[in-house]
Amino acid sequence: MLKGKGVSTGVGFGNIVVLKKVERKIEKKTIENEQVEQELERLHEALNQVIDETETQMKNMSGTEADIMQAYVMIMQDPSLIPETENAIKNSHYNAEYAVEVGFNSVIQIFENMDDEYMASRARDILDIKNRVLGKLFKEENIDLSKLNPNTIIVATELTTSETAKLDFKHVSGIITELGGENSHTSIMARTHTIPAITKVEEATKIFKDGDSVAINGTSGEIYVNPTEEEKQKLLDLEKQLEEEKSELDKYRNQESVTKDGTKVKLYANIGIPADAEIAVNNTAEGVGLLRSEFLYMDSDTMPSEESQFEAYKKVAEIMKDKEAIIRTLDIGGDKELKYLTLEKEANPFLGYRAIRLCLDNPTIFKTQLRAILRASAFGKLAIMFPMISSIEELRAAKEVLEECKQELDNENILYDKNIQVGIMIEIPSAALIADKLAKECDFFSIGTNDLIQYTVAVERGNEKISKLYTKYHPAVIKLIKKAIDGAHSANIICGMCGEAAGDPTFIPLLVGLGLDEFSMNSNNILRARKTINNLDKETCVKLSEEILQMASAEEVEKRLGQFGTFLFGPFIKK
Ligand code: PEP
Ligand code: MG
């Protein structure tokens, strides 16, 4: 039995698929005259394979996606692209791999130097094609993550967020990685899709082989290779227990989210891609408190157009019908990269050029998104939320760009919700400390504890070495949460929370006591959260929060909240 850190509860049985990170080394070789034909043939074979693959992918696509693929095929068939590479083989006698490197690079450079922004951005497409052609020449096996066999257990060093976004979730029974923390976006997505996941499994990509039969326990982090009957039974028993808890929670499906003494709260879902809105509705979410719009950007090979974003947000609005859906504007940077947006390497990316800072600095990117959200707001109840606000100036600047977009749409006679609500995330201590001022200039807050914790205690959220210090129970974090809630209420606006803490049953009593109005969480935590809230008494929670606010240490806070939860619900509560 192997052991890692369980980051997404559940039991999974299946066969391993290892995602190996390939390190390509392109060697410059000089070939003999008689090898020229053979190298040309290898080049064309690789090109044709990429064309065939692209055409097959296109069959399942429509709209912008299909247009992009069609453009790829046209580029690959463009007579000006290939001769550069062929000449590198014929005239310079380079091997096919090196010829592709120099041939494609010279064309990439021509495109990059073009003044026309559209043409310049084609350079990225050619770079992408170059990588795919090289992949064929190196005979790299490319696993299509969107088409996996049933019961696949993915093993990887680390899954990038965009790889996770591509996963064929229906067929994934588990995820095992060597790196990644509990709050990494991959772990969050695994939990949304109720896929058991385990991280911190050293050398997993070496230990496991494709096809290995394994059973995993995403709660304890245990992995059994070729499980014995006894081990299988142990996991099946656990699966049954989880199922029982699930059916017990089913009775909260049609209930209101209200404390025993009548305080109503909103239970919302966090989602990554528009299709997740279905999962939210199935789990009886009363709205979407956070759509992490960056997934849309990470799942694309180029900057998504206004049209494609409009379609995505409209889909969310339509799935949610009359329920609210809060779209967070692009929150890129930190641990989230866009392969087509080259940003300078920074010493401290989490403190750097990211989220609203990047958007305000790139009005074209920002306006494209805001226009798309505004247009989609005509089809449902959408709201806009700005991430990483640290000052009132940023909030004002973002609202100004939004006003410009509204003005443009008015001039173009395009419909949108004129009363669209505009809110901000409180995830930086400076924002929490001036919450009363910010609240006067926006319609709602949502506290992002995932980041608020890291900025308050100066502990990077994904850094395992210091993960013990990353805690929501720190009295300073709790004081900032209170400051945000009180600030919102002083201006009569709603305060929500969309960080992971909002879905933790041990933390919810404290949040109810502090007066949080909206709790947004992974869809599969909603019923458990409703059960928690419906069994609470607001008065008691207020007293509990007053007691907690006097405490000096995280340990004390955690212990007290643990006791409170156990007293109310028994020891079964799992974090
Ligand atoms: C947060 O910081 O709490 C949050 C919800 O945003 P993200 O996890 O996407 O940074
Ligand atoms: Mg955040």
Side-chain angles (χ1 to χ4, degrees):
M1 194 254 295
L2 286 158
K3 200 157 173 354
K5 181 179 164 68
V7 286
S8 178
T9 300
V11 170
F13 296 92
N15 297 97
I16 298 279
V17 168
V18 184
L19 301 185
K20 286 227 159 68
K21 283 265 173 287
V22 277
E23 301 226 348
R24 269 188 218 138
K25 204 157 160 251
I26 299 167
E27 281 179 83
K28 176 179 171 182
K29 291 187 194 152
T30 310
I31 55 166
E32 302 296 332
N33 244 341
E34 51 272 24
Q35 287 175 291
V36 168
E37 270 316 306
Q38 189 192 323
E39 289 303 278
L40 283 172
E41 220 169 273
R42 286 183 64 225
L43 167 70
H44 283 282
E45 201 183 312
L47 277 168
N48 287 335
Q49 281 174 351
V50 178
I51 293 177
D52 286 350
E53 231 176 60
T54 314
E55 284 178 339
T56 313
Q57 280 172 342
M58 270 166 61
K59 287 191 189 125
N60 299 320
M61 291 175 178
S62 58
T64 330
E65 251 188 345
D67 293 346
I68 293 169
M69 288 298 159
Q70 183 62 47
Y72 270 37
V73 174
M74 278 164 63
I75 293 170
M76 284 183 276
Q77 289 166 337
D78 185 337
S80 65
L81 176 67
I82 308 307
E84 290 283 344
T85 309
E86 286 179 334
N87 287 341
I89 297 176
K90 284 192 227 161
N91 305 337
S92 310
H93 281 200
Y94 291 147
N95 51 324
E97 289 83 352
Y98 193 70
V100 166
E101 185 67 15
V102 289
F104 275 63
N105 283 358
S106 68
V107 181
I108 289 170
Q109 225 168 34
I110 297 171
F111 274 85
E112 272 176 348
N113 291 335
M114 288 184 187
D115 283 338
D116 181 307
E117 204 185 312
Y118 176 80
M119 292 309 275
S121 70
R122 297 283 67 76
R124 283 196 292 268
D125 296 341
I126 302 175
L127 179 67
D128 192 35
I129 297 169
K130 181 187 93 174
N131 281 326
R132 290 172 63 185
V133 173
L134 283 172
K136 296 292 171 207
L137 285 170
F138 279 98
K139 298 207 180 324
E140 284 163 9
E141 268 185 57
N142 235 343
I143 296 164
D144 183 353
L145 292 176
S146 62
K147 283 193 204 88
L148 296 167
N149 288 329
N151 302 321
T152 296
I153 306 247
I154 298 280
V155 171
T157 305
E158 189 173 27
L159 276 178
T160 64
T161 312
S162 62
E163 279 168 339
T164 316
K166 273 199 197 113
L167 280 179
D168 177 5
F169 285 109
K170 291 191 299 301
H171 292 152
V172 179
S173 310
I175 299 174
I176 301 171
T177 55
E178 294 170 355
L179 307 172
E182 192 172 352
N183 282 316
S184 73
H185 284 90
T186 303
S187 304
I188 292 174
M189 277 181 84
R191 291 197 285 272
T192 303
H193 292 267
T194 18
I195 291 173
I198 300 174
T199 65
K200 312 297 298 167
V201 183
E202 275 178 40
E203 311 229 295
T205 55
K206 293 198 184 110
I207 296 169
F208 296 107
K209 301 273 166 298
D210 282 340
D212 279 352
S213 161
V214 295
I216 70 170
N217 177 346
T219 313
S220 66
E222 288 162 348
I223 306 168
Y224 303 89
V225 185
N226 295 323
T228 60
E229 280 312 309
E230 203 182 316
E231 287 164 343
K232 269 189 205 159
Q233 197 50 51
K234 191 175 134 195
L235 291 188
L236 286 170
D237 289 347
L238 175 63
E239 196 172 35
K240 191 161 159 250
Q241 214 182 314
L242 291 171
E243 282 300 319
E244 277 166 10
E245 193 205 358
K246 202 164 153 247
S247 60
E248 205 259 321
L249 289 176
D250 270 346
K251 64 171 185 265
Y252 290 92
R253 288 192 154 270
N254 300 317
Q255 295 194 11
E256 273 194 310
S257 309
V258 56
T259 62
K260 287 196 288 188
D261 48 351
T263 301
K264 281 200 184 100
V265 298
K266 299 178 182 182
L267 282 190
Y268 279 14
N270 292 347
I271 65 172
I273 51 170
D276 291 350
E278 307 265 13
I279 305 180
V281 172
N282 289 341
N283 281 288
T284 70
E286 294 150 34
V288 164
L290 168 66
L291 176 128
R292 289 185 163 94
S293 69
E294 53 276 9
F295 284 105
L296 221 74
Y297 289 73
M298 290 190 281
D299 204 14
S300 168
D301 292 318
T302 51
M303 199 56 94
S305 63
E306 179 181 319
E307 209 50 37
S308 64
Q309 290 194 60
F310 162 68
E311 288 298 337
Y313 306 139
K314 178 169 165 245
K315 184 169 172 184
V316 176
E318 287 175 345
I319 295 172
M320 297 310 294
K321 300 206 173 78
D322 55 346
K323 295 191 175 83
E324 182 181 36
I326 301 173
I327 316 280
R328 176 175 74 186
T329 59
L330 184 60
D331 185 5
I332 213 69
D335 60 344
K336 293 173 277 190
E337 288 177 5
L338 296 180
K339 55 183 175 234
Y340 47 84
L341 186 73
T342 323
L343 299 173
E344 259 174 54
K345 279 251 168 299
E346 295 177 304
N348 296 297
F350 280 108
L351 301 181
Y353 190 62
R354 55 173 297 202
I356 198 71
R357 302 166 182 184
L358 186 147
C359 286
L360 289 173
D361 204 35
N362 292 275
T364 316
I365 296 178
F366 197 26
K367 283 176 80 176
T368 304
Q369 179 171 40
L370 291 174
R371 281 178 58 103
I373 304 174
L374 283 170
R375 284 173 55 200
S377 71
F379 297 84
K381 200 172 164 198
L382 297 186
I384 294 174
M385 177 158 73
F386 301 124
M388 291 284 296
I389 293 287
S390 68
S391 68
I392 199 110
E393 288 84 357
E394 273 167 339
L395 169 59
R396 288 179 187 156
K399 281 173 67 181
E400 214 168 286
V401 183
L402 180 65
E403 280 313 307
E404 267 175 50
C405 294
K406 286 184 178 175
Q407 195 65 56
E408 281 175 20
L409 295 180
D410 284 337
N411 295 343
E412 294 161 36
N413 284 322
I414 297 176
L415 289 179
Y416 62 90
D417 174 7
K418 302 247 176 196
N419 294 317
I420 191 162
Q421 300 283 290
V422 179
I424 60 171
M425 290 203 58
I426 303 286
E427 51 186 343
I428 300 182
S430 61
L433 291 169
I434 56 161
D436 54 340
K437 305 285 185 293
L438 291 164
K440 290 195 182 116
E441 302 192 25
C442 63
D443 301 316
F444 64 89
F445 284 166
S446 185
I447 306 172
T449 43
N450 305 346
D451 277 316
L452 185 63
I453 298 169
Q454 79 165 343
Y455 296 130
T456 305
V457 293
V459 175
E460 198 186 310
R461 60 198 264 186
N463 190 331
E464 281 298 317
K465 246 195 178 140
I466 45 174
S467 64
K468 276 209 179 72
L469 299 173
Y470 179 94
T471 168
K472 57 182 173 273
Y473 302 114
H474 195 297
V477 174
I478 295 167
K479 283 204 159 62
L480 289 171
I481 293 174
K482 176 171 166 50
K483 201 86 187 134
I485 298 173
D486 291 349
H489 292 172
S490 71
N492 284 323
I493 67 166
I494 276 187
C495 189
M497 178 179 285
C498 57
E500 290 288 292
D504 181 344
T506 56
F507 210 64
I508 289 174
L510 170 65
L511 296 174
V512 168
L514 292 172
L516 195 76
D517 306 294
E518 175 235 287
F519 298 67
S520 193
M521 62 198 72
N522 256 291
S523 292
N524 56 37
N525 284 339
I526 285 179
L527 290 174
R528 195 178 293 121
R530 188 170 295 133
K531 174 182 169 178
T532 309
I533 284 162
N534 290 11
N535 284 289
L536 290 174
D537 190 80
K538 171 89 185 247
E539 284 278 318
T540 317
C541 291
V542 170
K543 287 204 187 89
L544 173 75
S545 69
E546 284 164 358
E547 196 189 320
I548 298 273
L549 282 164
Q550 298 307 316
M551 292 181 173
S553 82
E555 211 176 301
E556 242 179 303
V557 173
E558 182 170 9
K559 191 162 157 225
R560 179 69 185 101
L561 289 177
Q563 277 169 352
F564 185 84
T566 310
F567 174 69
L568 265 186
F569 305 109
F572 65 88
I573 286 190
K574 281 189 219 86
K575 270 192 267 172

